[in-house]
Amino acid sequence: MKIKTLNFLIGLDAILMFYDTVGIIAAGIILNAVANQTHNTATIFDSWWQIVIFILDIILVMSLAILIFFRIKEGKKNKKGVEMVNEEKN
């Protein structure tokens, strides 16, 4: 993949992961506040949609790590190519 494409995907993944994590935290805070008022307890695994956004967050974290790995690998490959071209010119 090209570096620009990887940079775009890393940025998109980071934005989605950020808002998904904020959603998990906000849902936990709001549901705990409601549960405290009714003398109950709440966790982030109480309903199906909370589990879905948690699994989505895990997938986004893994995909971000993989994309960063490929970006570093591509950057090193391009750097070696530039060094080889510079040596050929000399």
Side-chain angles (χ1 to χ4, degrees), residues 39-76:
H39 304 292
N40 290 328
T41 58
T43 66
I44 63 167
F45 302 112
D46 283 342
S47 61
W48 66 270
W49 61 270
Q50 292 170 304
I51 296 170
V52 169
I53 62 172
F54 181 75
I55 291 171
L56 179 64
D57 200 34
I58 291 173
I59 292 169
L60 289 170
V61 167
M62 289 188 304
S63 66
L64 183 62
I66 291 169
L67 286 170
I68 290 172
F69 169 77
F70 282 126
R71 171 59 176 91
I72 292 170
K73 185 177 174 184
E74 189 74 22
K76 286 183 179 180

Side-chain angles (χ1 to χ4, degrees), residues 75-86:
K76 286 183 179 180
K77 184 171 72 172
N78 286 346
K79 188 175 181 182
K80 286 181 183 177
V82 169
E83 289 173 358
M84 290 174 64
V85 169
N86 289 338

Side-chain angles (χ1 to χ4, degrees), residues 4-56:
K4 288 184 180 182
T5 306
L6 285 171
N7 289 342
F8 173 76
L9 291 175
I10 288 170
L12 180 65
D13 196 355
I15 291 168
L16 291 174
M17 186 183 69
F18 172 77
Y19 284 113
D20 190 39
T21 305
V22 168
I24 291 171
I25 293 169
I29 290 172
I30 292 168
L31 291 173
N32 275 327
V34 171
N36 285 337
Q37 292 295 322
T38 58
H39 304 292
N40 290 328
T41 58
T43 66
I44 63 167
F45 302 112
D46 283 342
S47 61
W48 66 270
W49 61 270
Q50 292 170 304
I51 296 170
V52 169
I53 62 172
F54 181 75
I55 291 171
L56 179 64

